[in-house]
Amino acid sequence: MRSPAVASILVGVFAAIVLIHPISSADDKTKTVFAASMLAEHNEWREKYKVPQLTWDEDLAADAQQFANQVVIKNKFPPTHRSGSSNGENFFWGTASAFEPKDAVARWESENKNYDRTTNTCVAGKRCVHFTQLVWSTTKRVGCAKATTADGETDFFVCVYNPAGNKDGLGPFSIVPDVTKQPSTTTPQSSPTVSPATPTRPVARRVS
């Protein structure tokens, strides 16, 4: 027969499990919804540009989450891309709770107007490498994450891609450059693999 003290401890442990389980399940559901939304948004645009669909990669997502957590701790924007990585990265940040995955991916896709297919370059003075990474035909996997700064003001989104896009001498829509149509075979803007997106913030929500 258990003593009253032991019985009390067992009841307490059981109660803790009951309380913790729903929170864990809710967190898992949120991550699942986020992942599904991010992947769907990527593949919707990739279908439009007639390039192969991506698959979700949990290791890339975990890497993205670790990096996102580090960025929001520093709370300095624009953040610096990691050097020495074999993966590609796209960033987006804005007012907390104001943006969904579709907004981040649409922001990257909006750079399509800055990309000149005939020369495989960005329009002078414009950025297009987020778009080219989004639709890079040989990229197969993606993992994304979101984190919020401690002051609750900013959400930071990051997606990690493998294999990385924006390879020197290649364009996003083919493995081998078509030299008859692409006189310039340099990576758009001769940029690094990725470059941070311009912050997008609803003015009404911004306080500073």
Side-chain angles (χ1 to χ4, degrees):
M1 181 176 179
R2 295 190 180 95
S3 69
V6 173
S8 177
I9 291 172
L10 291 175
V11 170
V13 170
F14 178 76
I17 293 173
V18 171
L19 288 173
I20 291 172
H21 180 69
I23 297 174
S24 178
S25 296
D27 289 344
D28 288 344
K29 183 177 180 180
T30 298
K31 289 181 179 179
T32 300
V33 170
F34 176 84
S37 180
M38 268 296 190
L39 182 61
E41 294 298 328
H42 275 77
N43 283 335
E44 182 176 338
W45 286 115
R46 289 175 71 87
E47 181 177 3
K48 174 183 176 180
Y49 290 98
K50 303 185 186 309
V51 294
Q53 302 279 280
L54 300 178
T55 59
W56 186 261
D57 189 295
E58 287 295 342
D59 289 337
L60 294 179
D63 179 53
Q65 189 65 67
Q66 182 180 38
F67 181 56
N69 293 343
Q70 294 172 352
V71 169
V72 298
I73 288 174
K74 294 179 180 179
N75 199 8
K76 292 182 179 179
F77 297 92
T80 302
H81 280 282
R82 293 172 290 182
S83 61
S85 174
S86 60
N87 298 321
E89 291 176 347
N90 273 352
F91 294 169
F92 174 90
W93 64 93
T95 305
S97 302
F99 300 100
E100 299 295 333
K102 65 179 181 180
D103 301 310
V105 181
R107 173 66 179 81
W108 300 329
E109 191 280 332
S110 70
E111 292 180 2
N112 78 85
K113 62 183 178 293
N114 302 330
Y115 176 65
D116 186 340
R117 290 198 191 195
T118 62
T119 61
N120 189 35
T121 59
C122 298
V123 173
K126 300 291 185 179
R127 183 174 291 147
C128 70
V129 291
H130 301 97
F131 166 69
T132 51
Q133 173 60 88
L134 174 65
V135 298
W136 199 267
S137 62
T138 57
T139 295
K140 297 180 178 180
R141 297 171 295 278
V142 65
C144 307
K146 182 180 81 169
T148 305
T149 54
D151 58 16
E153 290 191 7
T154 304
D155 280 341
F156 175 69
F157 296 79
V158 57
C159 287
V160 180
Y161 304 85
N162 185 271
N166 294 324
K167 296 293 186 179
D168 286 337
L170 297 176
F173 301 109
S174 61
I175 297 176
V176 179
D178 184 344
V179 294
T180 64
K181 294 183 178 180
Q182 297 178 345
S184 171
T185 56
T186 59
T187 299
Q189 289 188 337
S190 297
S191 301
T193 299
V194 283
S195 178
T198 302
T200 305
R201 302 176 182 273
V203 176
R205 293 292 306 278
R206 178 63 176 159
V207 292
S208 59

